[in-house]
Amino acid sequence: MSPTRSELAPAPDAGETPVDRVVSFHRRVEVLCVARLRDALDPETQLFDRQLRHGLWDRTRGTEDLTGTAICLVGLHRAGVDPGAISLVPHHAIAALVERSRARRYPGALGLVLWANAVWDGLPLPRLLEALDVSQGRLGTAGAPLTTMESAWLVSGLAHEW
């Protein structure tokens, strides 16, 4: 059973600083977040390809397995969550991302794949780009036209890689 909103954000203690409240809140929601990520991950494929839709678990649609997996990899790394806590093997997930990227051919996800690869010390950039069938010389035009969000993902991915 999931915690209620009041359990996640109880009334502040008079002696708590704002930082104390943020740390306390993070500790409470981390358990919930890790549990839901465990539910969303397919441990065999290492893709986050399940999501809650209308209160029920269902398969992701379109490119959500690709983008969602990359975003989860980045978020888990940034939050310092042990990937083993959700049966995730980051290097296997990156390999699955590369495979899924080649199958989906969604240029907008390139930046997210680069970003996830970078934070988990995956493939060297030249090898990753080769695996994705993207030449380094064409990075600026590989996904054109990109949305603002996809462009931001690409800039973030490149910044983390370099």
Side-chain angles (χ1 to χ4, degrees):
M1 182 170 181
S2 297
T4 65
R5 178 172 280 155
S6 62
E7 290 171 325
L8 290 175
D13 180 339
E16 277 187 318
T17 68
V19 171
D20 292 334
R21 285 193 294 276
V22 168
V23 169
S24 177
F25 177 75
H26 179 267
R27 285 188 185 125
R28 288 190 303 277
V29 297
E30 182 177 358
V31 172
L32 174 64
C33 292
V34 166
R36 295 300 68 85
L37 287 172
R38 190 179 307 111
D39 292 336
L41 177 71
D42 181 333
E44 289 184 31
T45 65
Q46 291 290 285
L47 294 170
F48 289 90
D49 62 359
R50 293 172 32 91
Q51 68 182 27
L52 280 173
R53 189 179 299 114
H54 307 295
L56 301 172
W57 284 102
D58 199 0
R59 292 285 169 201
T60 56
R61 297 177 179 162
T63 59
E64 292 172 337
D65 55 352
L66 176 59
T67 57
T69 298
I71 290 167
C72 286
L73 283 167
V74 170
L76 287 165
H77 187 272
R78 180 164 290 175
V81 173
D82 172 16
I86 58 172
S87 302
L88 177 72
V89 181
H91 289 92
H92 292 174
I94 290 167
L97 273 179
V98 169
E99 183 180 315
R100 190 56 48 103
S101 293
R102 290 175 59 91
R104 293 272 191 259
R105 297 286 179 201
Y106 168 42
L110 176 61
L112 286 173
V113 174
L114 294 175
W115 193 352
N117 182 73
V119 298
W120 287 102
D121 295 324
L123 295 170
L125 183 60
R127 283 192 43 217
L128 177 63
L129 292 175
E130 181 182 326
L132 294 169
D133 287 331
V134 175
S135 72
Q136 268 185 300
R138 294 188 34 94
L139 268 177
T141 59
L146 297 177
T147 66
T148 303
M149 177 179 64
E150 294 164 343
S151 296
W153 289 343
L154 183 57
V155 169
S156 293
L158 290 170
H160 281 83
E161 279 290 353
W162 286 315

